[in-house]
Amino acid sequence: MESQALVIAMIGVLGIGAQWIAWRTGWPAIVLMLAAGFLAGPVAGELGFRLLDPEGAFGDLLEPMIGIGVALILFEGGLSLDFRELRHSGQAVIRLATVGVLVGWALGAAAGFYIAGLVWPVAILFGGILIVTGPTVVLPLLRQSNVQTRPASVLKWEAIVNDPTGALCAVIAYEYFRKVAESPGASVVEVVPPLIIAAIVAGLIGYAAARVIAYLFPRGAIPEYLKVPVLFIAVIGVFVLTNQIEHEAGLVAVTVMGVGLANMNVSSLRSIHPFKENVAVLLVSGIFIVLASSLRVEDLQYLNWRFLGFLLALLFLVRPITVLVSLLGTSLPWNERLLVAWIAPRGIVLVAISGLFALRLTEIGYSDGNVLIGLSFAVVVATIVAHGFTLNLVAKWLNVKGTSRPGLLIVGSTPWTIALAKEMQALKTPVMVVDSSWQRLGAARREGLPFYYGEILNEATEHNLDLAPYQVLVAATDNEAYNALVCNEFAHEIGRDSVYQLGESGDEHDKHALPESIRGRALFETGFGVTDVNERQAQGWVFRKTKLSDEFDFEDAQEKLPDSANKLLLMRKSGTLRFFTHAAVPEPRAGDTIISFSPPRQGRPRKSPPSARRKRRARAGHGTPHQSRRQPSLR
């Protein structure tokens, strides 16, 4: 495959394909991407038909392409860092970014020298690179898991802050040993201060770029359709410019630029969040496939039992000691410290920087530099597999995992939503009622329901309310236009198919109706509106639950319900919620629980003639008419 277009297409197919399989199976996406790249590259090459050879396809362009990709990923990660998150974890993050860097560097270098057998210069440089944990790995892992907010915030901040820090440490180590090779009498004082000054200057340039964007965007200086292109070109420009000051200083600049913009309250940036997240997924997928497929079998020939011991020391000694020492005296609970001490997967930046310095170390006379390529991949694979497959298990064991059952977020405190919340809480589904009126929340307080007093659309809600446990949103305030606004705002975060509201959307040609594209899915097959449910609530309508089984199927459940009853949702055994809407009807299965909104009971519900019921059941293949059926009670 010599065509560059075919190589790009295959990289995309393998990367996004691995992400999709990870979504379907729950396996760590990074592990699947590494496996896909490794199979398409070195493994297929050994069999005589290498499917991917990025170096052959892109040549000298490969390194700058990866560098710019990493810069954009770091910038995107920085945009997600809001200083308000540090209220509960700030002390821990600062310790890990200062004390943790020094302790981790020292322990990593010692393990490289005494266990892996590297010469001291190579061990010191590699110890600096190992500080990196990598947002390209940590963020996807946190996205797939359900870790509580505080430890997840610590891991996220550490990953993004320490990425450029690790690169800077490697640059400092390399420049020092290069100086020593050129001038044996060179001292640390001659090398380190200029590099630190270069990093500070790069950070200031990144911050200045953020201030310029924060000034121009809200004032209409950049048209809406050009904001995303201008922002991305600005990131690339800042990265390339600051790299001219000192190699890898660009990583510091783009990280500062992202964090700065995230905390400047630029309202114009909210509209680009979905786009920049999509770009980050594409970049992470592509770069992992490229790096894994670029690996050569000869790069692994240096690995032996000593390197296996080094990997074990890295997992079970270096990381735990670094974290536990750094967090001494902090307010972080011990179970959360232990989780942070275990989770430290490495990713793109480690491999990219190791590959760069492997060549440079060889040029100045350190033969062990060649070992870094294979060793860095071994570290990435070992940490991703170990931490990716154990994160959920360890989090559960340490009691820092959120609820495993999908939760329901209800916006609007009304008699109807309170009744729904009580019904779902009785089924052990996590529920949260959100409203900006303390008076309307009175009913939720009296019923003992979890509630949040605040405006759901306020950006501060993201930092005061943990939204991770809630996979479904129902907007049911008295204002249907506001409900549509809430659904549209959360559609990109929760999923368009997981945001619902009361009221059926109007005809697409009706200029007086809200278009379906900005609404949530309509609840009920009939598309009941706010007025409809309020009127029926006043007439005494209630929620009823019906459990299906092999003996009592969906048809039987319908016969037990009043004619005018409306099915709202069904809950699977796993707790997954599926709603009945005007556009889609979920397929009921044995073990499901159906929640319906029904009128008050008046006498016994109708029954079909026994002969008709037997015929229907025989046609449906549910067994003989003589099988006994257990009739569940309805509330």
Side-chain angles (χ1 to χ4, degrees):
M1 283 197 177
E2 297 179 359
S3 169
Q4 293 178 335
L6 284 176
V7 171
I8 293 172
M10 178 160 279
I11 290 170
V13 168
L14 291 176
I16 300 304
Q19 293 269 15
W20 183 83
I21 294 173
W23 170 73
R24 292 292 297 177
T25 62
W27 295 350
I30 308 298
V31 175
L32 296 176
M33 287 188 285
L34 280 176
F38 194 70
L39 290 173
V43 172
E46 285 297 296
L47 299 176
F49 57 95
R50 192 180 186 100
L51 298 176
L52 271 183
D53 185 10
E55 290 185 3
F58 302 116
D60 293 338
L61 287 175
L62 186 60
E63 184 180 327
M65 285 168 57
I66 292 175
I68 290 174
V70 171
L72 288 170
I73 291 168
L74 281 177
F75 171 75
E76 191 274 338
L79 275 179
S80 67
L81 295 182
D82 193 305
F83 286 134
R84 285 173 289 190
E85 289 184 15
L86 294 179
R87 287 179 303 168
H88 304 297
S89 59
Q91 186 184 22
V93 172
I94 293 171
R95 289 284 194 90
L96 288 172
T98 51
V99 177
V101 165
L102 298 176
V103 174
W105 191 356
L107 292 177
F113 178 75
Y114 290 109
I115 300 177
L118 302 174
V119 296
W120 267 119
V122 177
I124 292 173
L125 186 143
F126 195 53
I129 300 175
L130 288 175
I131 293 169
V132 170
T133 52
T136 57
V137 193
V138 172
L139 298 185
L141 283 182
L142 293 176
R143 192 179 298 121
Q144 285 185 281
S145 64
N146 191 18
V147 178
Q148 291 176 2
T149 303
R150 182 165 51 191
S153 175
V154 171
L155 289 168
K156 181 175 75 172
W157 271 88
E158 181 201 16
I160 294 174
V161 171
N162 278 5
D163 238 26
T165 303
L168 182 62
C169 291
V171 171
I172 290 174
Y174 169 76
E175 290 296 332
Y176 172 72
F177 292 120
R178 184 182 64 81
K179 277 278 190 183
V180 168
E182 294 174 356
S183 308
S187 65
V188 175
V189 177
E190 296 174 18
V191 177
V192 175
L195 295 176
I196 293 177
I197 292 172
I200 293 173
V201 171
L204 291 174
I205 292 175
Y207 182 77
R211 294 296 301 182
V212 171
I213 290 171
Y215 178 82
L216 294 177
F217 275 25
R219 288 167 173 78
I222 308 294
E224 199 66 32
Y225 74 96
L226 281 180
K227 284 182 178 178
V228 172
V230 166
L231 186 61
F232 275 74
I233 292 302
V235 174
I236 294 172
V238 167
F239 174 71
V240 173
L241 173 65
T242 50
N243 263 357
Q244 304 306 308
I245 301 173
E246 182 60 57
H247 196 77
E248 305 302 338
L251 298 179
V252 178
V254 296
T255 302
V256 172
M257 183 178 175
V259 176
L261 273 175
N263 292 276
M264 288 178 186
N265 234 359
V266 184
S267 58
S268 305
L269 293 178
R270 289 182 64 84
S271 60
I272 73 165
H273 279 192
F275 178 80
K276 59 100 173 171
E277 289 171 1
N278 293 336
V279 169
V281 169
L282 287 171
L283 288 172
V284 169
S285 304
I287 292 177
F288 262 96
I289 296 295
V290 166
L291 292 176
S293 60
S294 299
L295 191 63
R296 308 280 176 183
V297 173
E298 51 266 28
D299 294 333
L300 305 176
Q301 64 184 353
Y302 299 101
L303 302 182
N304 52 39
W305 67 268
R306 298 192 68 167
F307 292 108
L308 176 60
F310 172 77
L311 294 176
L312 292 174
L314 197 63
L315 289 170
F316 297 103
L317 292 176
V318 175
R319 173 64 178 182
I321 293 174
T322 299
V323 171
L324 295 179
V325 169
S326 302
L327 298 183
L328 282 176
T330 64
S331 59
L332 204 68
W334 274 99
N335 58 339
E336 296 180 11
R337 296 188 204 188
L338 291 174
L339 179 74
V340 175
W342 172 242
I343 302 300
R346 271 66 171 193
I348 291 171
V349 175
L350 174 70
V351 175
I353 297 175
S354 297
L356 172 69
F357 285 111
L359 301 175
R360 296 187 176 186
L361 286 170
T362 303
E363 291 173 359
I364 61 175
Y366 297 107
S367 58
D368 277 358
N370 291 326
V371 180
L372 292 187
I373 298 175
L375 187 56
S376 64
F377 263 103
V379 169
V380 168
V381 171
T383 56
I384 287 176
V385 171
H387 299 144
F389 282 109
T390 62
L391 175 56
N392 281 320
L393 183 64
V394 173
K396 186 176 181 181
W397 179 63
L398 293 172
N399 199 29
V400 293
K401 188 171 175 59
T403 176
S404 58
R405 293 176 70 85
L408 176 62
L409 184 66
I410 300 175
V411 180
S413 181
T414 67
W416 185 82
T417 59
I418 296 301
L420 173 61
K422 286 174 61 180
E423 194 70 28
M424 300 311 298
Q425 191 178 55
L427 292 171
K428 309 300 182 185
T429 295
V431 176
M432 178 67 68
V433 180
V434 180
D435 203 300
S436 58
S437 168
W438 184 254
Q439 182 179 2
R440 286 195 296 266
L441 283 170
R445 297 196 304 274
R446 287 191 296 272
E447 296 292 345
L449 295 169
F451 67 90
Y452 175 76
Y453 172 45
E455 172 55 62
I456 189 69
L457 296 174
N458 193 313
E459 208 170 312
T461 300
E462 297 178 24
H463 311 290
N464 295 307
L465 175 63
D466 182 14
L467 298 174
Y470 307 104
Q471 280 78 52
V472 179
L473 179 144
V474 169
T477 70
D478 292 334
N479 187 327
E480 291 194 21
Y482 176 79
N483 295 339
L485 180 62
V486 170
C487 289
N488 195 50
E489 176 70 19
F490 283 88
H492 78 275
E493 184 173 340
I494 297 178
R496 177 65 66 179
D497 294 329
S498 298
V499 290
Y500 300 88
Q501 72 174 93
L502 287 171
E504 185 175 5
S505 58
D507 187 279
E508 61 179 1
H509 302 296
D510 183 1
K511 65 180 182 180
H512 302 292
L514 289 170
E516 189 173 357
S517 59
I518 66 169
R519 292 172 49 91
R521 298 288 184 261
L523 294 172
F524 298 108
E525 293 178 75
T526 55
F528 275 170
V530 175
T531 304
D532 298 317
V533 296
N534 287 343
E535 287 178 353
R536 284 160 176 78
Q537 186 87 11
Q539 293 167 10
W541 282 45
V542 294
F543 287 101
R544 304 184 191 277
K545 60 187 176 193
T546 309
K547 183 71 176 288
L548 303 183
S549 65
D550 291 327
E551 295 79 24
F552 189 80
D553 59 17
F554 185 55
E555 284 190 6
D556 294 326
Q558 287 183 302
E559 290 171 0
K560 295 286 287 184
L561 290 170
D563 290 336
S564 56
N566 282 265
K567 295 175 290 297
L568 175 61
L569 63 89
L570 60 80
M571 187 175 72
R572 306 288 190 200
K573 286 182 179 179
S574 62
T576 302
L577 304 178
R578 293 286 183 266
F579 283 79
F580 292 85
T581 72
H582 72 294
V585 177
E587 180 184 353
R589 307 170 188 165
D592 292 348
T593 299
I594 295 178
I595 303 297
S596 58
F597 189 48
S598 306
R601 305 193 59 150
Q602 296 176 353
R604 295 179 61 83
R606 65 174 175 83
K607 288 188 178 180
S608 300
S611 59
R613 297 180 66 191
R614 283 196 295 270
K615 288 177 183 178
R616 278 202 305 269
R617 290 181 60 78
R619 285 199 303 269
H622 288 292
T624 67
H626 301 290
Q627 288 178 307
S628 64
R629 286 196 289 266
R630 178 170 56 87
Q631 306 292 335
S633 61
L634 298 177
R635 291 198 315 174

